[in-house]
Amino acid sequence: AQSVTQPDIHITVSEGASLELRCNYSYGATPYLFWYVQSPGQGLQLLLKYFSGDTLVQGIKGFEAEFKRSQSSFNLRKPSVHWSDAAEYFCAVGAGGSYIPTFGRGTSLIVHP
Amino acid sequence: NAGVTQTPKFQVLKTGQSMTLQCAQDMNHEYMSWYRQDPGMGLRLIHYSVGAGITDQGEVPNGYNVSRSTTEDFPLRLLSAAPSQTSVYFCASGLLTSGRPGELFFGEGSRLTVL
């Protein structure tokens, strides 16, 4: 079975600074990888996904993520954070043959002005 | 386009009461699921469905019941509420895509408190 770890429970950055949120997965074959964002009081929204091909994927709201098979990682990045990016971010991994993704425990992003 | 609609948004129950959380989607998605979100625990899958008449258990199914009589609706029933079921519940739906997970579309959540 697949699993996913988000090592950071909270991340604090200043507005305008760069951001990297970590995600590590465990799965024997090529995984299907997702990042979702949850704004306060809202449901989750897909930021980006990786299924195959180019290992650097672009998403909405200026986010990107890079799949690194050698490190079993799919870290989320943004070059310049805006105050509106303050939210909870979830990494998810799925396996071939299953419709069900496994979610990480989430990373809470705090943005200081 | 309404997407995934959950009702109610807030509910307070007493221990032992039963209730149903409603979920409806208008995107003709075959796959629907219920998650609960608790602090520090992320999202945990309660039940899911891959089509009308087909349901299965997820990671934490005890105390919950589901049915799927139509493509659009996937209600979650709490049979006898317990304080441990105090949580935020999310319904999510998506297309079934050839043996892999696809994008999920989430409702805005239902916050349940059991006293």
Side-chain angles (χ1 to χ4, degrees), chain A residues 24-102:
Chain A
N24 295 100
Y25 68 89
S26 174
Y27 181 59
T30 300
Y32 302 98
L33 296 161
F34 306 81
W35 274 101
Y36 286 84
V37 60
Q38 183 184 27
S39 298
Q42 300 295 313
L44 281 69
Q45 178 186 20
L46 182 71
L47 281 175
L48 46 79
K49 61 182 184 285
Y50 172 79
F51 290 163
S52 64
D54 192 347
T55 56
L56 183 63
V57 293
Q58 302 296 321
I60 62 171
K61 306 186 181 189
F63 285 91
E64 66 179 26
E66 186 170 12
F67 170 56
K68 292 186 177 181
R69 184 189 302 275
S70 61
Q71 299 177 18
S72 298
S73 69
F74 188 56
N75 294 349
L76 182 71
R77 301 193 295 246
K78 187 169 185 179
S80 178
V81 170
H82 188 262
W83 63 266
S84 60
D85 293 323
E88 189 90 13
Y89 291 82
F90 291 91
C91 182
V93 61
S98 172
Y99 304 114
I100 305 171
T102 298

Side-chain angles (χ1 to χ4, degrees), chain A residues 32 34 36 38 41-44 46 51 90 94-100 103 105, chain B residues 31 35 37 40 42-43 45 48 50 90 96 99-104 106-108:
Chain A
Y32 302 98
F34 306 81
Y36 286 84
Q38 183 184 27
Q42 300 295 313
L44 281 69
L46 182 71
F51 290 163
F90 291 91
S98 172
Y99 304 114
I100 305 171
F103 284 85
R105 295 192 174 192
Chain B
Y31 180 81
Y35 291 88
Q37 183 179 30
L43 291 168
L45 182 65
Y48 67 96
V50 296
F90 287 97
L96 289 181
R100 62 163 171 78
E103 176 182 0
L104 292 179
F106 285 80
E108 293 188 345

Side-chain angles (χ1 to χ4, degrees), chain B residues 23-110:
Chain B
C23 176
Q25 53 93 9
D26 61 0
M27 296 172 283
N28 202 30
H29 287 164
E30 304 98 330
Y31 180 81
M32 296 187 73
S33 54
W34 277 102
Y35 291 88
R36 60 177 289 173
Q37 183 179 30
D38 302 291
M41 301 296 291
L43 291 168
R44 292 184 291 171
L45 182 65
I46 305 171
H47 284 285
Y48 67 96
S49 168
V50 296
I54 306 169
T55 64
D56 207 345
Q57 298 180 353
E59 180 185 357
V60 289
N62 291 342
Y64 306 95
N65 205 355
V66 292
S67 60
R68 184 96 179 267
S69 57
T70 67
T71 299
E72 295 78 17
D73 300 300
F74 191 45
L76 178 71
R77 296 181 184 85
L78 280 70
L79 309 173
S80 178
S84 60
Q85 293 179 303
T86 294
S87 187
V88 181
Y89 292 85
F90 287 97
C91 179
S93 72
L95 292 170
L96 289 181
T97 45
S98 160
R100 62 163 171 78
E103 176 182 0
L104 292 179
F105 295 80
F106 285 80
E108 293 188 345
S110 297

